[in-house]
Amino acid sequence: MKNAILKSEGLTKNFADTKNSKASPVLDNVSLEICRGDFTVIMGSSGAGKSTLLYCLSLMDSVTDGKVFYKNEDITHFSEKEKAALRRGEFGFAFQEPHLVSDLSIEENLLVAGYASKKYGAKEVRQKCQNLLQTIGLEKIRAHLPSQVSGGQAQRASLARAVINDPGILFADEPTGALNRSNADSVLDLLTSLNKNGQTILMVTHDIRTASRANRILYIRDGKIISHLELEPYEADEQKGQERLSQLTGWLEGLGW
């Protein structure tokens, strides 16, 4: 039986509507559970609240009402110091842009993240860094600066940096949104591999091919989760992949996608 690693209860987020001088709900009483080892994707139209939900769950944004729990602990009103410690040691982040430190090498970007959490000793961080660079195929360009590598390589390095401290959950916001198909596939392959090795992932995307890598898809509309789809774990099989895409596409069309 799966255990929830992250959950929300009655999560609400309002933004001030200056034109009408009243609060406008972006998230409306959202309750959900993210289970250990799952690859969960949040989908929905533009403005539905996808990224806001991700940011509230990861404490990158505050909530108006409701609660967020991580490993059964209420983290909703953590202090800024407590939030920072949680992000360094327990949460990993990947965005549409890699956000690598421009004057540090690929290897140094990973090492700095590893040292910052103080979760592991220096020797172990260096070993983990070496293993990750080998896994993602960037060992030969480890000394390159971010400006000297391709967009796909930079994004893979960003993902490696996000997981160097073995986070309980990896939050990803459109991590393939700025990549061509070839580079996007390499990033998706890495995400799939991480998940197969036990990494819990919560990702926002608008792309059906990207979403098809997940085993659970949540659909959000007007700040509410209105439906969800459960899929079998992803397999790198062309026929099964097409069947998976057809199932997902049919589900989305039924929701008015």
Side-chain angles (χ1 to χ4, degrees), residues 183-241:
N183 282 327
D185 283 344
S186 71
V187 169
L188 290 173
D189 287 343
L190 175 56
L191 285 166
T192 301
S193 176
L194 288 169
N195 179 245
K196 285 184 180 297
N197 287 322
Q199 178 64 63
T200 305
I201 300 172
L202 179 60
M203 179 172 70
V204 164
T205 186
H206 68 279
D207 181 69
I208 295 177
R209 288 184 66 257
T210 299
S212 71
R213 296 296 184 106
N215 67 280
R216 185 175 184 232
I217 297 99
L218 308 176
Y219 193 86
I220 188 170
R221 178 187 293 156
D222 297 329
K224 296 181 178 180
I225 294 175
I226 63 167
S227 186
H228 74 277
L229 177 68
E230 303 283 344
L231 297 171
E232 293 296 319
Y234 177 84
E235 293 182 40
D237 179 279
E238 186 173 352
Q239 182 177 345
K240 289 182 178 180

Side-chain angles (χ1 to χ4, degrees), residues 7-197:
K7 67 179 182 179
S8 68
E9 294 180 355
L11 196 64
T12 300
K13 176 68 177 181
N14 295 333
F15 286 133
D17 186 339
T18 54
K19 182 179 290 187
N20 297 315
S21 299
K22 64 179 183 180
S24 177
V26 177
L27 298 177
D28 188 2
N29 197 35
V30 175
S31 296
L32 59 76
E33 291 188 348
I34 304 300
C35 293
R36 293 178 188 272
D38 272 2
F39 189 159
T40 303
V41 156
I42 304 170
M43 299 191 79
S45 60
S46 178
K50 301 185 299 295
S51 292
T52 301
L53 177 57
L54 188 82
Y55 295 154
C56 286
L57 290 171
S58 62
L59 302 187
M60 293 180 64
D61 198 356
S62 60
V63 304
T64 303
D65 199 6
K67 295 181 179 181
V68 179
F69 296 86
Y70 177 68
K71 294 182 177 178
N72 295 319
E73 181 180 9
D74 187 349
I75 62 172
T76 317
H77 301 295
F78 267 22
S79 67
E80 290 305 316
K81 185 176 180 180
E82 289 172 322
K83 289 179 183 179
L86 193 64
R87 294 189 197 108
R88 286 195 302 268
E90 292 293 323
F91 292 170
F93 296 92
F95 303 97
Q96 186 167 324
E97 299 297 332
H99 298 301
L100 297 171
V101 181
S102 61
D103 57 353
L104 295 181
S105 69
I106 297 299
E107 180 180 36
E108 289 168 339
N109 267 277
L110 270 65
L111 289 173
V112 166
Y115 296 147
S117 76
K118 300 180 181 179
K119 195 173 181 177
Y120 300 108
K123 183 178 180 180
E124 192 168 3
V125 169
R126 289 193 295 270
Q127 185 61 56
K128 288 172 68 65
C129 177
Q130 181 178 334
N131 293 342
L132 278 168
L133 288 170
Q134 289 177 337
T135 298
I136 64 177
L138 298 184
E139 189 177 25
K140 292 183 178 179
I141 60 169
R142 64 195 307 157
H144 287 46
L145 295 173
S147 61
Q148 298 172 318
V149 304
S150 71
Q153 289 171 326
Q155 191 63 293
R156 278 184 281 152
S158 175
L159 283 171
R161 179 184 61 181
V163 299
I164 194 169
N165 293 317
D166 298 316
I169 185 166
L170 171 62
F171 296 92
D173 190 4
E174 300 281 9
T176 62
L179 302 176
N180 61 33
R181 180 162 180 171
S182 176
N183 282 327
D185 283 344
S186 71
V187 169
L188 290 173
D189 287 343
L190 175 56
L191 285 166
T192 301
S193 176
L194 288 169
N195 179 245
K196 285 184 180 297
N197 287 322

